[in-house]
Each structure stands twice: as C-alpha cells, then as structure tokens.
Amino acid sequence: LLVLIQVHGQGGVKFQNWAKTYGSSPELYFQPTSVEEIREILEMARQRDKRVKVVGGGHSPSDIACTDDFMIQMGKMNRVLKVDKEKQQVTVEGGIFLSDLNVELSKHGLALANLGAVSEVAAAGVIGTGTHNTGIKHGILSTQVVALTLLTASGEILECSESINADVFQAARLHLGCLGVVLTVTFQCVPQFHLHEVAFPSTLTEVLDHLDDHLKRSQYFRFLWFPHSENVSVIYQDPTNKPPSSSASWLWDYAVGYYLLEFLLWISTFVPSLVCWINRFFFWLLFSSRVENIAISYKIFNYECRFKQHVQDWAIPIEKTKEALLELKAALENNPKMVAHYPVEVRFARGDEIWLSPCFQRDSCYMNIIMYRPYGKNVPRLNYWLTYEGIMKKHGGRPHWAKAHSCTRKDFEKMYPAFPKFCSVREKLDPTGIFLNTYLEKVFY
C-alpha cells in the first residue's frame, strides 16, 4: 500500500537544549503546521517502528526532550485561537511561546497570574514539565490550565478538562511529553496588572526565623541565599497602581552581573576557594542595597538566567524549609572542598491535585541550586549535587521534572501517591511507548 506522505522531515539536525548540557541527533526533524501533518508523522513513525519526541523551546536543563528517532518541533503551531473576555480565558496552540502570549494577552487587557523566569518556552512544554514561580497563594503554572486537547498515539483527539476526560486532564496538566501531542491549551487569566518589585538585603537566620511573616507580607515572595555566607537577598513582588519605573542599571547588571561574574567564576575553576569570596563580593556589589522596579507583570516575572549552567530544583514540604536549608549550609561548612555558586533560590508554591505535580497535595518550598559553566567550562559539581539530593530526599523532596536529577521509578512510586494512576493513563493512551525516550524510560521502567 502506497502512503502519500506530505510531510517532510529534515535529516542532520542537531538538537541542543538552551544550556547546551544535553543534545541529540534526531533521524528526522519536523515542524508541522497542522494536526493532519502530525497524524502523518505518527503514522510514518509507526510504519518504521520509530519513537517520536515533541519539543517546544528546548529550554529544559535535562535530556527530557532528546531523541535519536523523530523530533517534532511545534514552533509553527503557535496561534492564539480564542480570547474569552467574559471568563478571562485564552485558548492557544501548544507551540506558542509565552513571550508572544504575554504580549497578545496585554492587548486584551489580560495576563497570566504567574510566570516562570523564562518566557522563550512553549505553552505545552511549560505545563509538561511543571514549571513554577513563587507565591504561596499561587500554584505551579499547570494549575492555570482549565482545558487542553491531546492528540493520542492512535491519532484520536481528546478534549480534556475537569468535566470531560477528567482523569486524562489531571495527568495531562503535567504530561512529561509522554501522553500524546498537546495541540491546544486553555489558560485561566486575570486582568492585566503591574508589579512592584523590591529587593533588599537580609540574613539567612532572619528570613528562616520569620518565614511566615515574609510569606504573608508579599504575594510573590522569594529569597536568594549566597552559599558560604549568611547573606540573603529578599525579593517582594506585589501588584501596584504606580507608574513603571526602575532603579536597575544595565551597566551593573550586565557588565558586572554577567561578564565580570563569568570571568571570575572561570578563574575559580583553577582556585576553587575563590568561590566563597566571589559570592560575598557579588552580594556586596549587586545585592547589598535596596532596589525597586515597577513594570507590567510579565517583565518583572521574567529575568535573565545569565549564562550556561547546571541546575537542580526540588520541592519539599514547606514546613521543612528551615531545616533543609540549614542542613545544606552545614554540609558546605563541613566540606571546605565543596563549593557552591550563588544564588540558592528559594521559592514557594501552593499545593494542588495534579498527579505528577511536585506540589501534589502539599504547599511546597522549591530550593534551586546552580553551578555555572563559565565560557562553557564544566565545574566539578558531583559532591554538591549528591549532598543536595540526599538532603532533599530525606525531607520528602520531589525533583523538578525539567531539571537534572538521578531518580528512578522506585523513587517516584514513593514520592507520588498518584504515580500508578498516571502510569495506567499513559499505558492506555500510548500502549506501544511511541512517546518514550531515554529520560522517560528511567521514570517508568
């Protein structure tokens, strides 16, 4: 039987994530423009016994999006399909970048209530990995999804929401890219708003002893801890009616916060003991005075991730915040050879009912650790990584799905009460595992 394939895949495309820490060479790379084309790609994959991986912005700092078989990049399916002003909801194609959606929404006087640090990410990918920001009254970004449509391995389209295909909905709101191709997403929005950001210095002791006060005082509260010191930068972000203004300076943020930092961290790869000094120096240079900014919400939520880096980010029950952070601090003090770059970023999120959400049924604290790769050079991080993972596991932590971690199915079965439910939905929707890859095999096998 001759099948007329209309879609053309490119060979020889090298896929790399943003941090260039992971990459793969898919046999064929597709950029479909319609559901029909995606169906044909799936059909071709079935005939040739290949797997399929869907990618968006390719931002995940892990190999969750890598494949050597077929890769579907959704960038051409990026339209806003519907804006419902009454319900304050927007329906978009899965490939739309949040950076474009933010601008579109503001034309309609709407906004997403919460956003992560980066907006060069696709709507379907953001929810697929459990992207989050901070704010104890706000859930991870997936909690803003009220409906979605999923193209399954068999070519069927499922409409999912609280009321239709409810089980698939709770799985697909954080789908890991393994349930099918997310075609459309409907977000619950809020009226457009401006944020007033205030950053001010404090100490780790002060913040941890008065955590509840900080959480009550600011809607989107986070803090940055500078390892090898007591230094903390507290960041409050709250809705405001004041006009936009900024006390930040490009020169400082870029010349110092980017270029000088990268250079000094590169030198520290030869003299690791410099890191303690660098962390203190940069705190004094950039974070020791009060800084204020007012801008439209998404401009405050988004910030520069500086340069190439390795990150880990686990969510622990919020009541374990102090204990876990002090343990990490003690581990660094007791191990002079182990160095940690700044900042350790501490954020908070409301509990939810999404099966694979790190915040499933509990308010959580996310503790993000980072090791930069100055000029692409790798910095020894294994000791720090394993120490951190050990502390997180001990306190009931769950890793961020998009970031590098060493967990396997056994771990996830312990961490996630609804893990078996997710597995049964996945096996039903994708019985032959066409949407699996190496990363996902560790999760499910």
Side-chain angles (χ1 to χ4, degrees):
L1 188 70
L2 198 67
V3 182
L4 256 159
I5 294 286
Q6 300 296 320
V7 289
H8 295 289
Q10 264 177 294
V13 172
K14 174 105 174 86
F15 166 75
Q16 275 200 313
N17 68 344
W18 173 81
K20 296 198 169 31
T21 43
Y22 293 92
S24 65
S25 303
E27 188 179 312
L28 287 176
Y29 179 86
F30 298 92
Q31 286 193 299
T33 55
S34 69
V35 180
E36 285 63 44
E37 283 180 38
I38 301 175
R39 276 206 180 102
E40 282 189 13
I41 298 164
L42 294 180
E43 184 51 44
M44 185 172 20
R46 254 192 303 277
Q47 288 173 4
R48 300 199 197 170
D49 202 20
K50 296 290 179 191
R51 289 175 164 181
V52 175
K53 198 78 235 126
V54 185
V55 298
H59 218 279
S60 296
S62 71
D63 54 347
I64 190 166
C66 294
T67 184
D68 292 330
D69 286 4
F70 290 1
M71 183 173 275
I72 297 180
Q73 204 280 332
M74 293 290 280
K76 290 187 171 162
M77 297 181 69
N78 63 351
R79 292 171 307 164
V80 175
L81 300 173
K82 182 179 176 208
V83 178
D84 184 331
K85 286 218 164 151
E86 210 133 288
K87 287 185 176 164
Q88 297 185 341
Q89 291 175 355
V90 61
T91 303
V92 297
E93 288 184 310
I96 193 171
F97 272 20
L98 293 190
S99 46
D100 297 329
L101 178 56
N102 292 332
V103 174
E104 278 304 305
L105 284 176
S106 73
K107 291 179 190 166
H108 294 279
L110 295 172
L112 290 168
N114 210 349
L115 286 163
V118 181
S119 280
E120 278 59 54
V121 285
V126 163
I127 66 169
T129 52
T131 303
H132 67 96
N133 180 24
T134 192
I136 199 52
K137 293 209 160 55
H138 296 274
I140 64 172
L141 269 55
S142 298
T143 58
Q144 300 175 64
V145 174
V146 290
L148 53 85
T149 59
L150 192 65
L151 177 68
T152 65
S154 65
E156 179 190 6
I157 294 182
L158 293 181
E159 307 270 336
C160 311
S161 66
E162 297 271 0
S163 51
I164 316 164
N165 291 318
D167 267 12
V168 178
F169 183 60
Q170 287 311 7
R173 285 210 283 175
L174 203 163
H175 54 75
L176 302 183
C178 69
L179 303 176
V181 182
V182 175
L183 298 174
T184 72
V185 182
T186 303
F187 289 104
Q188 181 59 53
C189 302
V190 295
Q192 180 179 313
F193 60 106
H194 281 67
L195 279 174
H196 181 190
E197 176 179 75
V198 184
F200 58 93
S202 184
T203 64
L204 190 59
T205 313
E206 188 282 324
V207 171
L208 292 176
D209 287 348
H210 301 103
L211 202 56
D212 283 353
D213 296 344
H214 286 290
L215 284 163
K216 286 191 190 99
R217 212 171 291 161
S218 171
Q219 195 179 137
Y220 303 95
F221 154 68
R222 82 175 75 215
F223 67 91
L224 311 176
W225 170 55
F226 290 66
H228 311 293
S229 77
E230 261 285 306
N231 295 333
V232 162
S233 173
V234 174
I235 300 164
Y236 285 175
Q237 295 172 339
D238 290 285
T240 181
N241 296 322
K242 293 181 195 160
S245 67
S246 170
S247 58
S249 110
W250 180 88
L251 176 81
W252 277 100
D253 285 353
Y254 265 89
V256 176
Y258 190 118
Y259 297 108
L260 181 62
L261 178 65
E262 188 166 29
F263 175 66
L264 290 176
L265 286 178
W266 180 75
I267 290 179
S268 79
T269 61
F270 305 100
V271 193
S273 56
L274 280 178
V275 170
C276 310
W277 175 84
I278 291 170
N279 287 0
R280 294 187 174 134
F281 176 60
F282 273 86
F283 177 79
W284 172 78
L285 214 54
L286 294 176
F287 298 91
S288 57
S289 57
R290 186 183 166 98
V291 179
E292 296 193 44
N293 276 316
I294 298 175
I296 193 158
S297 58
Y298 63 84
K299 289 188 176 163
I300 297 281
F301 286 140
N302 289 166
Y303 56 87
E304 196 62 54
C305 287
R306 295 200 166 89
F307 41 92
K308 307 302 175 226
Q309 50 190 247
H310 288 285
V311 287
Q312 280 227 54
D313 189 17
W314 287 50
I316 52 175
I318 197 164
E319 59 278 6
K320 304 278 190 185
T321 306
K322 180 176 180 176
E323 208 180 327
L325 203 47
L326 291 179
E327 233 168 279
L328 187 63
K329 183 172 190 253
L332 288 169
E333 280 161 10
N334 299 332
N335 262 325
K337 282 207 163 62
M338 187 160 67
V339 297
H341 292 166
Y342 86 83
V344 171
E345 186 182 16
V346 185
R347 290 173 285 181
F348 304 89
R350 195 187 68 216
D352 60 51
E353 290 301 320
I354 299 167
W355 292 352
L356 289 191
S357 165
C359 303
F360 181 72
Q361 294 185 344
R362 65 185 199 200
D363 290 351
S364 301
C365 161
Y366 277 93
M367 216 168 277
N368 186 80
I369 64 166
I370 192 164
M371 286 300 270
Y372 288 110
R373 298 171 57 224
Y375 310 122
K377 181 173 177 178
N378 267 325
V379 176
R381 64 176 200 286
L382 198 63
N383 275 348
Y384 179 34
W385 247 227
L386 294 173
T387 303
Y388 165 86
E389 279 200 340
I391 295 169
M392 295 291 109
K393 271 187 179 163
K394 178 180 148 189
H395 292 293
R398 297 167 178 158
H400 188 318
W401 289 107
K403 308 203 176 166
H405 58 77
S406 61
C407 300
T408 59
R409 175 165 182 148
K410 276 201 182 73
D411 297 306
F412 295 127
E413 284 172 343
K414 285 195 205 92
M415 292 170 181
Y416 287 101
F419 193 75
K421 281 187 182 169
F422 187 94
C423 290
S424 73
V425 166
R426 188 196 74 76
E427 284 153 22
K428 198 162 68 200
L429 294 181
D430 185 17
T432 62
I434 195 170
F435 293 113
L436 291 179
N437 64 355
T438 313
Y439 173 100
L440 290 167
E441 279 173 350
K442 285 189 210 123
V443 175
F444 295 114
Y445 292 105

